Amino acid sequence: MAAKSKGAPNLYGSFVHSAPGQFLASKLGLPQPANLRRYVKGEPPLTGPVLIGGKGRVAEPVRALLSDYTFADEVSQGTKYGALVFDATGIGSIEDLSQLFEFFQPAMRSITPSGRVVVIGTTPELAGTVDEQIAQRALEGFTRSVAKELLRGATAQLVYLHPEASAAATGLESTLRFLLSAKSAFVDGQVIRVGKDDATAPASWDRPLEGKVAVVTGAARGIGATIAEVFARDGAKVIVADIPAAGEALSETANKVGGTALALDVTAPDAADKLAEFATERFGGIDIIVHNAGITRDKLLANMDEGRWNSVINVNLAAPHRITEGLVAKGVLKEGGRVIDVSSIAGIAGNRGQTNYGASKAGVIGMVNAEAPKLAEKGITINAVAPGFIETAMTAAIPLGTREAGRLMSSLLQGGQTVDVAETIAFFASPASNAVNGNVVRVCGQSLIGA
Ligand code: NAD
């Protein structure tokens, strides 16, 4: 997908997948990145049955929600599982944590390549007792550590469910279907919080955005172009926006996805007005906006000029904030709307030479935290992805040594593809993700940076 988003040649990855490279790597104990399984329409979400354990309140609802998956209850000799799912909502004390050991220890060697581990707990700060809060918080360290131990492209995540979610826990479904599929290939060691609201499943999980109008900024190339492709695949009508200078590439994206191109500099003072007018005239409003347009202007702070500082803060942070507020105030972003921002692991950990970029991307996280409760009153959700090393023109510009290190310094031992970021954004954008609000999910293969 997205020919325009190809990054630089992956020297180590190509070497280690050649016959002599594979031999050398196993002899020397060098890292061996797996080929990650990615979504292909019609292929099963997992490559084996789901082994389910735990005695909480969601194990039975999960079986009902995922009735098209195959489940097993006990480890059986020789069986490989596509996923291990553990209902940890019944863990109410420190002693109960032994249940994790009892379930996972015998099963750790029985996971298929690109398999999945999902632990479901209760949001710790909302849990009933002090003991339960402690034990629920412990799940995070457990799951992140499991993610670091898994091999061959397998991943582990934690889902915290609001304690007041209904018995059917339908709000969980979109998150579980995303995590228990090849769409979450490069998401690893993450925690996703799901609120108490119920959700309605789409008519088809293959086209969850059917009939929705989505705007993607910075869609001429890279991650933005792939987001547009994935949205179109999922049934959305897509407005792709980018600066006027990127017009030709933007038209290409628009043609490819059957979408509509809009020349728009997101930093223009009237950007929200222009977008609102365009979308209202053509489609009657907007359901989804993805603030993907972003730039880097790296320099050590001591050498940075005001122009570099201002342009990065304006494009990456001020513009998304102003446009969201404008679209909401005008009512152009409809009830049940979705705002998705693009942060970065540099906004979590900071990065040398990126004080401007790090500030802007951490500000994006602040925006999600601050806006989520306000937008929830209008039935709108706001979430962000924080990509790690993704193969694009942006990362192809990184010097060779740093680039190879950036790829290898993660649990999945490789860079991600633009489609990995796009799939996570599509999960947030789904109408069935109405209970998913205020999250920042890293799409970084559990990068050591920002850990
Ligand atoms: P890219 O440079 O390939 O594409 C960015 C697009 O944004 C370009 O088409 C550009 O023309 C457009 N753009 C820039 N300024 C604009 C403006 N003022 N108005 C409208 N459009 C504008 O970048 P990418 O790698 O695809 O990154 C996309 C997003 O992901 C950015 O927000 C970036 O910070 C973030 N990100 C990327 C990585 C990575 O590894 N590539 C990692 C973390 C975060």
Side-chain angles (χ1 to χ4, degrees):
M1 196 174 271
K4 282 183 285 177
S5 29
K6 285 240 159 29
N10 183 351
L11 296 181
Y12 182 77
S14 315
F15 161 74
V16 89
H17 283 122
S18 69
Q22 219 162 22
F23 175 79
L24 258 180
S26 70
K27 284 280 169 225
L28 299 174
L30 296 176
Q32 296 186 60
N35 284 320
L36 305 183
R37 186 168 177 263
R38 291 192 167 85
Y39 172 83
V40 176
K41 191 175 175 209
E43 285 190 2
L46 298 169
T47 52
V50 179
L51 179 68
I52 187 159
K55 296 184 202 72
R57 65 200 156 97
V58 296
E60 283 315 311
V62 164
R63 284 174 199 266
L65 293 171
L66 306 179
S67 55
D68 47 329
Y69 283 64
T70 310
F71 284 92
D73 292 307
E74 277 170 25
V75 189
S76 78
Q77 273 288 311
T79 306
K80 294 278 182 199
Y81 299 97
L84 309 181
V85 173
F86 188 78
D87 175 6
T89 58
I91 292 184
S93 68
I94 295 169
E95 295 76 53
D96 289 350
L97 289 169
S98 60
Q99 292 173 23
L100 294 171
F101 176 81
E102 285 155 19
F103 175 75
F104 282 103
Q105 197 282 331
M108 281 299 281
R109 290 187 206 281
S110 308
I111 303 173
T112 57
S114 288
R116 300 283 180 261
V117 166
V118 175
V119 176
I120 308 167
T122 300
T123 315
E125 54 274 26
L126 302 176
T129 64
V130 168
D131 276 23
E132 189 182 358
Q133 290 191 14
I134 296 168
Q136 287 296 324
R137 181 62 181 77
L139 301 177
E140 203 172 311
F142 173 78
T143 312
R144 290 192 203 273
S145 302
V146 167
K148 291 191 174 181
E149 291 187 10
L150 290 173
L151 300 170
R152 299 187 301 275
T155 62
Q157 335 283 348
L158 172 62
V159 180
Y160 278 135
L161 179 64
H162 194 294
E164 290 162 26
S166 75
T170 53
L172 268 181
E173 185 171 1
S174 71
T175 303
L176 293 180
R177 284 186 182 271
F178 170 64
L179 295 177
L180 296 172
S181 80
K183 291 183 174 177
S184 58
F186 201 59
V187 176
D188 198 9
Q190 295 305 291
V191 181
I192 300 181
R193 283 160 194 256
V194 176
K196 62 181 171 189
D197 291 349
D198 273 314
T200 308
S204 158
W205 284 104
D206 275 324
R207 285 178 73 81
L209 304 183
E210 195 72 70
K212 298 290 174 191
V213 177
V215 177
V216 183
T217 69
R221 64 176 203 186
I223 295 172
T226 311
I227 298 167
E229 285 176 45
V230 168
F231 276 6
R233 178 201 74 190
D234 285 357
K237 294 182 205 121
V238 193
I239 299 173
V240 291
D242 211 299
I243 48 173
E248 206 175 310
L250 187 66
S251 306
E252 265 179 51
T253 306
N255 289 340
K256 196 166 180 188
V257 306
T260 317
L262 171 66
L264 181 78
D265 181 338
V266 293
T267 62
D270 63 347
D273 296 339
K274 256 185 97 174
L275 185 52
E277 200 178 307
F278 185 85
T280 309
E281 252 172 39
R282 309 233 172 172
F283 302 105
I286 295 171
D287 298 294
I288 302 157
I289 173 129
V290 183
H291 298 293
N292 163 78
I295 58 168
T296 52
R297 295 286 182 272
D298 299 355
K299 274 279 178 204
L300 291 176
L301 184 56
N303 302 331
M304 190 170 305
D305 56 79
E306 214 181 334
R308 281 172 196 268
W309 177 269
N310 288 339
S311 56
V312 170
I313 299 287
N314 282 338
V315 176
N316 297 0
L317 181 58
H321 182 45
R322 205 167 38 232
I323 291 174
T324 302
E325 298 233 306
L327 295 179
V328 171
K330 290 175 204 299
V332 172
L333 186 64
K334 295 186 202 158
E335 177 117 351
R338 302 276 179 268
V339 181
I340 300 133
D341 290 304
V342 179
S343 179
S344 164
I345 55 170
I348 296 170
N351 209 9
R352 189 171 186 274
Q354 292 199 316
T355 49
N356 49 357
Y357 187 76
S360 73
K361 294 297 188 181
V364 165
I365 296 173
M367 202 157 69
V368 169
N369 293 340
E371 300 268 10
K374 284 193 349 196
L375 293 177
E377 292 165 16
K378 295 182 159 50
I380 298 171
T381 66
I382 179 167
N383 296 281
V385 289
F389 188 102
I390 304 296
E391 305 287 354
T392 63
M394 194 182 255
T395 46
I398 299 173
L400 177 74
T402 321
R403 195 166 68 224
E404 287 295 333
R407 285 181 173 129
L408 289 174
M409 277 169 52
S410 68
S411 295
L412 295 176
L413 304 168
Q414 59 196 290
Q417 302 294 330
T418 55
V419 70
D420 300 324
V421 181
E423 297 283 16
T424 310
I425 289 175
F427 148 62
F428 285 138
S430 169
S433 295
N434 57 297
V436 181
N437 190 22
N439 282 273
V440 178
V441 169
R442 290 167 51 158
V443 185
C444 67
Q446 203 177 27
S447 167
L448 299 181
I449 299 167

